[in-house]
Amino acid sequence: MRLFKSKDKTEQSALTTLLSVNKQEPDQPDPAQPESAAAPASAAPEPVTAAATAAAPAPAPTPAADLPAAIDRLKGQLKGLATQYQGLRQELQTKMFAQRDVIKQTLREVSAREKRITVQLADIAQQQKDLQAQDDAALHSQLTDLAQAKAALQKQITNLEQQVTTLQKSVDDNDQAIKDNAAAQQKNRADNAKLAAEIKGEADLVAVVQIIEKNKDEVFALHTQAETLTKEAAQLQEKGTRLQDELANPQDGLTAANRKSTENDQQTRQIEQKLDQAKRDRHAQLNTLQTQEKAAKQQHQTIVAQFEARQRDLAAIQDDIQHIFNTDHLIRLFQLHDNHQYGVLASDFGAAQEQDMVAIFQYLEAHLKHPAILISYGYDPDLADHIQTWAAKHDLHTPTVYNLFTELQKSAPNTAQQMTIPDNDHWRSVWSDGRRTRDIYDHDQHLMHVTYRDADHINQIDYYSEEHLSKRSEFNEHGQLSRTTTFAKDGTMQQVDYYRIEGTLVLSFHYVDEKVDNIQMFDTNGLLYTVFNSTHDLAYWWLAAFWKQHPELFVIGDPSDPIFTRLAADYADQELPYFSQITTKPAPVKKALQDTPWTQLLVATMADQQALGKITNRDLSVDYIATGAADTLPEALTLAAPAQTKAAAQATE
């Protein structure tokens, strides 16, 4: 649902609508109210909301004597109006962006559904293509192979049948020959018996001799025939056995071939049945896929329509947001958490930073129940005293201080002695008024030392050689050696050494052309531990190690600080950059937000917070610490838009 259907919508008209809706029905906004309450974008904004103006009585004339009190009351009302405006603006912005987020989430869900249904349609189309491409080639190939095997078996069966027929005829012929041989043998035996009977029945020997003589040739022939027939019978029996053996092989082969032919027929029928079943299955599957495709296409059309509708809704709400707030991103208010630690990163307390530092610590004290932390990477031997004095000056609680050099110079036990300069008869000392400085000369009246003292101890000694400064020693708040600086004859720094409070060297800075060339770090045994290329590398190393020891720590810092920006690569979600001049100098802030992935930050004023919406490229969680012109009315509540604001807006574009 769009809050506005007209292009004529402004932040003031939107807030007027929200105020009216909240008065009528706080939890249920009236969808018809914004459209009727929208004012033309070109109209000059009223100094107060329409609802507030309608409810306020006409002001009575004020006596001149009461003007200061009246002005104070009006200033209070003005501040209350700004607070009310900010609350209404934030409420409207939050609701509209929440509605936009709901639409975006719906779009993502609909888009995911559309992708799934598209994949489903593609899968269905591929299944149809695969089914239509199926030709049962494997089964047809099996049928072809079976047919070829069938033909080969048929040819083999024919050959075997011919062999069996031929061999069977030979067997039959041989059996007939055996029968004929048996008949011939029987006849031979009968003839022999007949002749023997004739001879045996004859009593006359002469007649017997005559009969024998007469049948001599026949007897011999019968005997020869009998031998021949006996031999032939044996040969025929042997041939019959051999023919039976020869007949057994083709008969077995014929039986096996017939069995294979039967199996071939069965396999052929099975494959033909499979072919028929495959055709029926493909037809059924194609019908099912066509039904699924039809349903999926209808569902896809519905999803596309839903997606287009949500896109229109998103475009509408984004159009409303852009016209009302002149931004596409939500600037949310965030609150500090008591279970987190908050620290401020600062190198020093220069005059340029002091106002912002005071405002930041006042903000932290107003929102936290425990003291804030100050994290410093600049050298100051009296840092603790300076911080305490600074906090008392601005009526602040003294923060807990962590300093790079103080932490690295710690040691246990603390055995170093306080620095003292004993009297020497060969020296001449000249004290300044108040005995804060002491110039020491040798017996030739050459300046040797200049010492600087506070109330309790020596805090600095300058050493001179041949009338020029050669070395400077600085001492901590306990009078113990903290740092020495070595100078060349032309006064340029050559080396700066830092010492632990027990006297061992911990850091040694080496300079070339007055720039740090390298930094050496030593352990408590005097051995080189590591080397850094610059002070930035040293500060980054120490701060990264410090952050690992305090994972619950959130650090507020200056976005122009290269150390703070460098740490953002690993700790952006635990950094709170503080921007103090967004309305007047938006370009550097815009570039910083583009270069660094911060999602939460601090600004100086309410106006700075609102100005972020015009330059940010993402949603942000922002709070303002209300420094400077904290009570200035927002642009939408002023009588006329300031020229510089318009110029700044054009500059950001």
Side-chain angles (χ1 to χ4, degrees):
M1 179 190 70
R2 293 189 60 176
L3 290 178
F4 299 92
K5 297 181 180 179
S6 169
K7 290 292 183 181
D8 298 329
K9 40 189 174 285
T10 64
E11 183 176 338
Q12 178 200 359
S13 62
L15 293 172
T16 302
T17 298
L18 181 61
L19 180 60
S20 301
V21 170
N22 285 348
K23 285 178 177 290
Q24 295 172 2
E25 199 170 339
D27 297 328
Q28 299 294 332
D30 185 0
Q33 189 69 12
E35 184 176 357
S36 62
S42 59
E46 297 292 331
V48 294
T49 60
T53 302
T62 304
D66 295 336
L67 280 178
I71 290 174
D72 290 339
R73 287 196 302 272
L74 288 175
K75 285 184 177 179
Q77 292 176 6
L78 193 65
K79 185 174 181 180
L81 182 60
T83 303
Q84 182 187 22
Y85 164 82
Q86 175 64 13
L88 289 173
R89 185 182 191 278
Q90 187 67 35
E91 181 182 354
L92 176 62
Q93 193 178 37
T94 301
K95 286 184 177 180
M96 295 183 71
F97 274 93
Q99 184 178 355
R100 185 200 66 175
D101 292 343
V102 170
I103 295 173
K104 283 186 174 181
Q105 179 61 30
T106 304
L107 265 178
R108 287 191 289 268
E109 294 173 356
V110 172
S111 178
R113 289 169 55 199
E114 193 274 336
K115 289 180 181 178
R116 289 195 296 269
I117 203 70
T118 300
V119 171
Q120 183 180 351
L121 282 169
D123 183 59
I124 291 174
Q126 186 62 42
Q127 290 184 51
Q128 289 177 329
K129 184 178 179 180
D130 293 342
L131 284 172
Q132 292 170 353
Q134 289 181 4
D135 54 3
D136 300 322
L139 293 175
H140 284 296
S141 177
Q142 293 181 29
L143 278 179
T144 301
D145 293 343
L146 287 172
Q148 292 175 353
K150 178 73 173 178
L153 285 172
Q154 193 62 45
K155 184 177 180 181
Q156 182 182 4
I157 288 172
T158 300
N159 292 335
L160 289 172
E161 286 178 343
Q162 290 176 355
Q163 292 179 26
V164 168
T165 300
T166 300
L167 289 172
Q168 188 63 49
K169 184 175 182 304
S170 298
V171 169
D172 292 343
D173 291 344
N174 188 70
D175 290 343
Q176 185 62 43
I178 290 174
K179 290 179 181 179
D180 293 343
N181 180 277
Q185 286 187 12
Q186 185 176 4
K187 181 176 180 302
N188 181 273
R189 286 192 297 271
D191 290 340
N192 283 331
K194 180 179 178 183
L195 181 58
E198 289 180 357
I199 294 173
K200 185 179 179 179
E202 184 63 46
D204 187 357
L205 293 174
V206 175
V208 171
V209 172
Q210 290 177 347
I211 292 172
I212 292 172
E213 187 65 25
K214 179 182 176 179
N215 294 292
K216 177 178 65 176
D217 294 334
E218 182 180 356
V219 171
F220 182 78
L222 286 173
H223 178 74
T224 302
Q225 182 183 22
E227 289 181 351
T228 301
L229 287 174
T230 301
K231 186 183 294 184
E232 182 181 354
Q235 291 175 349
L236 288 174
Q237 287 294 337
E238 182 180 354
K239 181 180 180 181
T241 301
R242 188 181 72 253
L243 287 174
Q244 287 294 338
D245 292 340
E246 291 179 359
L247 181 60
N249 290 330
Q251 282 179 335
D252 292 342
L254 181 61
T255 301
N258 284 326
R259 184 175 65 254
K260 289 181 179 179
S261 179
T262 302
E263 293 175 353
N264 183 287
D265 293 340
Q266 292 176 349
Q267 292 176 357
T268 301
R269 287 193 297 272
Q270 290 175 355
I271 293 174
E272 289 173 346
Q273 291 174 357
K274 289 181 179 179
L275 282 170
D276 293 339
Q277 186 62 40
K279 291 178 181 178
R280 289 193 295 270
D281 291 344
R282 279 199 300 274
H283 183 71
Q285 290 176 11
L286 283 172
N287 288 338
T288 301
L289 289 173
Q290 289 172 356
T291 302
Q292 293 176 355
E293 183 181 35
K294 183 178 179 180
K297 285 182 177 179
Q298 292 176 349
Q299 187 177 0
H300 185 264
Q301 291 175 354
T302 302
I303 291 173
V304 169
Q306 292 176 352
F307 186 80
E308 292 174 350
R310 296 290 81 76
Q311 281 185 318
R312 290 192 295 270
D313 292 342
L314 179 61
I317 191 67
Q318 286 180 333
D319 182 65
D320 285 343
I321 291 171
Q322 182 63 38
H323 279 76
I324 294 171
F325 300 105
N326 194 25
T327 181
D328 293 325
H329 301 284
L330 175 62
I331 307 301
R332 296 181 176 90
L333 282 171
F334 78 92
Q335 299 292 329
L336 302 184
H337 299 282
D338 286 337
N339 58 340
H340 292 160
Q341 286 186 335
Y342 290 89
V344 180
L345 180 65
S347 58
D348 55 40
F349 280 79
Q353 295 83 19
E354 184 172 4
Q355 182 179 358
D356 287 334
M357 292 294 291
V358 171
I360 291 172
F361 275 97
Q362 287 175 341
Y363 168 80
L364 292 176
E365 286 196 2
H367 290 79
L368 297 177
K369 297 179 180 178
H370 46 78
I373 296 173
L374 174 64
I375 306 168
S376 170
Y377 57 88
Y379 176 76
D380 184 352
D382 298 314
L383 180 63
D385 292 338
H386 292 165
I387 293 298
Q388 188 171 5
T389 302
W390 172 83
K393 173 183 175 183
H394 297 288
D395 196 22
L396 295 169
H397 291 92
T398 303
T400 303
V401 180
Y402 292 94
N403 175 262
L404 181 154
F405 293 95
T406 303
E407 295 300 312
L408 293 180
Q409 290 178 298
K410 284 182 178 179
S411 63
N414 182 4
T415 58
Q417 299 296 318
Q418 186 180 79
M419 180 64 182
T420 60
I421 299 180
D423 293 331
N424 190 309
D425 295 337
H426 300 287
W427 293 351
R428 184 174 66 88
S429 298
V430 179
W431 289 89
S432 66
D433 294 340
R435 301 181 69 84
R436 290 298 185 184
T437 63
R438 178 187 180 189
D439 298 345
I440 301 176
Y441 298 86
D442 64 11
H443 62 279
D444 293 326
Q445 303 302 310
H446 295 141
L447 181 62
M448 296 174 56
H449 311 137
V450 176
T451 63
Y452 301 84
R453 297 181 59 89
D454 58 17
D456 300 321
H457 57 79
I458 296 173
N459 54 27
Q460 181 177 314
I461 300 177
D462 290 346
Y463 298 87
Y464 288 84
S465 176
E466 298 179 0
E467 303 301 329
H468 71 269
L469 179 64
S470 61
K471 182 179 179 181
R472 172 173 293 156
S473 296
E474 298 172 75
F475 304 88
N476 61 22
E477 66 271 21
H478 304 293
Q480 299 162 320
L481 181 62
S482 177
R483 176 172 73 169
T484 63
T485 304
T486 304
F487 299 92
K489 287 185 178 182
D490 60 0
T492 58
M493 285 191 302
Q494 291 183 319
Q495 183 171 328
V496 179
D497 296 328
Y498 295 85
Y499 297 87
R500 297 181 180 88
I501 57 178
E502 34 81 316
T504 59
L505 179 66
V506 59
L507 292 172
S508 182
F509 287 63
H510 298 267
Y511 289 80
V512 175
D513 296 332
E514 296 188 330
K515 293 182 180 179
V516 174
D517 181 64
N518 65 81
I519 302 170
Q520 298 176 349
M521 177 180 286
F522 299 89
D523 63 16
T524 55
N525 295 317
L527 297 176
L528 182 64
Y529 176 73
T530 187
V531 178
F532 302 99
N533 294 323
S534 66
T535 54
H536 285 174
D537 289 345
L538 171 63
Y540 175 79
W541 170 82
W542 178 75
L543 288 168
F546 180 80
W547 220 322
K548 291 178 181 178
Q549 296 173 358
H550 300 80
E552 73 287 353
L553 178 65
F554 283 73
V555 175
I556 302 169
D558 183 356
S560 64
D561 183 346
I563 303 299
F564 185 79
T565 305
R566 183 175 174 182
L567 285 166
D570 298 320
Y571 303 99
D573 57 342
Q574 291 179 260
E575 286 190 336
L576 288 174
Y578 171 67
F579 294 95
S580 59
Q581 296 180 336
I582 299 178
T583 54
T584 56
K585 297 180 180 179
V589 180
K590 182 178 181 179
K591 185 178 186 306
L593 292 177
Q594 290 173 344
D595 295 341
T596 311
W598 291 310
T599 57
Q600 55 185 9
L601 49 94
L602 294 175
V603 297
T605 65
M606 181 194 307
D608 288 331
Q609 183 198 39
Q610 295 177 15
L612 275 174
K614 301 176 183 179
I615 60 176
T616 183
N617 59 354
R618 57 186 177 274
D619 293 351
L620 294 173
S621 296
V622 183
D623 200 3
Y624 58 92
I625 63 175
T627 61
D631 297 334
T632 301
L633 278 178
E635 179 183 343
L637 298 181
T638 57
L639 293 174
Q644 63 269 24
T645 304
K646 292 182 179 179
Q650 294 174 357
T652 58
E653 295 174 358

